[in-house]
């Protein structure tokens, strides 16, 4: 059995008694169920497709994005100096990454998305597998688009830019940052004490507690961005007072990425 799993990957299913319980809770008769789905696998295929499509609503924590922008509006005085801007960046990353890690990866919706992503290539039916992969891809690109818009707005506002050798392409940064948060979310399931243990990190003349998620996220940030030599504090502060749109435009073609 282990050799078979190594070759084909893990699969997911539903037990007969669990399906009966679901039908009973929904008030659906077995005959009604079988008129819509002649096999359990057809039912599961439709469930997994719906999960993949729903993932685009669950992965981007819009509340964190909006709260970050509101927080920056309270730190405008610090944006006047390079040291102040660095402190704002550090404070935003430490707070937002830790909150986002808890808010997103602790949810059942995210765990379902992660499980589906891990097992999709084991789906026996090629057509079903491709439909679900297409839905997962659309959800992933919707998430990337949302986060790219957010970073394009927030990081320049606090005086930072994408390093020139990335050619203005923010997507590798978005994917790397998300991989840190979601990868730690997976590891936390087996070794929560290691992932959730606070770390004492020296910052200037003080030692401050950091979560592993925040510290790892900060490493990604420093690898991709740098201070903007052309930064204009007054212009950035003016933008803060005008708000930011973190919602991707429906007119954008996600397949174009």
């Amino acid at each position: 059995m282990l050799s078979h799993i190594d070759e084909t990957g893990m699969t997911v299913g539903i037990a007969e008694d669990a399906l009966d319980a679901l039908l009973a809770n929904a008030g659906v008769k077995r005959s009604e169920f079988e008129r819509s789905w002649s096999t359990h696998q057809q039912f599961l295929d439709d469930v997994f497709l719906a999960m993949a499509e729903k993932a685009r609503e669950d992965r981007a924590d819009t509340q964190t994005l909006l709260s970050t922008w509101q927080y920056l509006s309270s730190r405008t005085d610090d944006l006047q100096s390079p040291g102040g801007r660095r402190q704002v960046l550090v404070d935003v990353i430490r707070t937002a990454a830790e909150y986002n890690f808890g808010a997103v990866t602790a949810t059942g919706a995210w765990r379902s998305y992660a499980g589906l992503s891990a097992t999709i290539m084991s789906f026996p039916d090629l057509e079903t597998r491709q439909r679900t992969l297409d839905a997962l891809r659309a959800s992933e690109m919707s998430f990337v688009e949302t986060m790219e818009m957010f970073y394009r707005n927030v990081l320049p506002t606090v005086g930072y830019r994408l390093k020139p050798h990335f050619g203005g392409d923010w997507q590798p940064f978005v994917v790397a940052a998300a991989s840190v948060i979601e990868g730690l979310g997976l590891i936390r399931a087996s070794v929560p004490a290691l992932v959730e243990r606070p770390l004492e990190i020296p910052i200037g003349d003080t030692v401050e507690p950091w979560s592993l998620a925040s510290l790892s996220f900060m490493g990604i940030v420093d690898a991709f961005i740098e201070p903007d030599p052309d930064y204009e504090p007054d212009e950035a502060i003016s933008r803060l007072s005008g708000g930011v749109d973190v919602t991707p435009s429906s007119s954008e073609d996600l397949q174009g990425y």
Side-chain angles (χ1 to χ4, degrees):
M1 176 59 75
L2 292 179
S3 297
H4 174 75
I5 292 175
D6 287 342
E7 292 176 3
T8 64
M10 293 288 289
T11 57
V12 291
I14 184 170
E16 190 76 20
D17 56 347
L19 178 60
D20 288 339
L22 287 173
L23 294 177
N25 288 338
V28 176
K29 296 179 180 179
R30 170 70 71 155
S31 59
E32 295 173 326
F33 172 83
E34 292 176 348
R35 280 198 295 270
S36 298
W37 297 283
S38 58
T39 67
H40 289 184
Q41 189 59 50
Q42 288 179 356
F43 170 67
L44 285 176
D45 290 345
D46 285 347
V47 169
F48 295 145
L49 180 61
M51 286 170 54
E53 292 172 342
K54 186 177 182 296
R56 72 173 62 198
E57 304 171 11
D58 297 326
R59 290 191 65 214
D61 180 18
T62 305
Q63 185 57 49
T64 298
L65 310 186
L66 294 174
S67 297
T68 298
W69 193 257
Q70 293 167 356
Y71 172 76
L72 291 178
S73 298
S74 71
R75 298 286 301 272
T76 53
D77 288 346
D78 293 315
L79 299 181
Q80 297 289 346
S81 68
R85 292 193 288 273
R86 176 66 183 182
Q87 189 59 55
V88 170
L89 176 69
V90 169
D91 290 345
V92 165
I93 294 302
R94 182 171 57 176
T95 303
E98 183 172 357
Y99 176 80
N100 185 256
F101 176 68
V104 173
T105 64
T107 64
W110 178 81
R111 290 194 294 270
S112 296
Y113 166 81
L116 180 60
S117 298
T119 58
I120 179 63
M121 297 309 297
S122 301
F123 281 23
D125 184 75
L126 181 60
E127 181 180 350
T128 297
R129 184 196 313 165
Q130 190 58 53
R131 283 193 303 128
T132 307
L133 275 172
D134 289 344
L136 283 172
R137 180 180 183 274
S139 295
E140 186 71 31
M141 295 316 301
S142 176
F143 169 78
V144 169
E145 184 185 45
T146 297
M147 298 309 301
E148 180 180 10
M149 183 180 298
F150 174 72
Y151 291 129
R152 281 182 180 273
N153 275 280
V154 168
L155 292 177
T157 300
V158 297
Y160 287 81
R161 69 179 185 183
L162 193 67
K163 291 180 178 178
H165 53 260
F166 292 109
D169 183 3
W170 289 80
Q171 292 187 9
F173 170 60
V174 173
V175 173
S179 297
V180 164
I181 297 297
E182 299 190 345
L184 287 172
L186 293 174
I187 295 172
R188 180 173 57 183
S190 56
V191 285
L194 292 180
V195 174
E196 297 172 358
R197 182 180 62 192
L199 304 171
E200 299 296 323
I201 306 299
I203 304 293
D205 297 329
T206 64
V207 175
E208 301 177 356
W210 280 64
S211 68
L212 183 58
S214 296
L215 187 63
S216 302
F217 197 102
M218 195 72 224
I220 296 295
V221 169
D222 282 337
F224 278 86
I225 72 168
E226 65 182 11
D228 183 355
D230 300 320
Y231 179 71
E232 294 289 345
D234 292 339
E235 180 180 337
I237 292 171
S238 176
R239 289 184 65 246
L240 276 170
S241 65
V244 61
D245 180 13
V246 297
T247 306
S249 169
S250 59
S251 62
E252 293 287 339
D253 179 12
L254 298 180
Q255 305 300 322
Y257 282 90

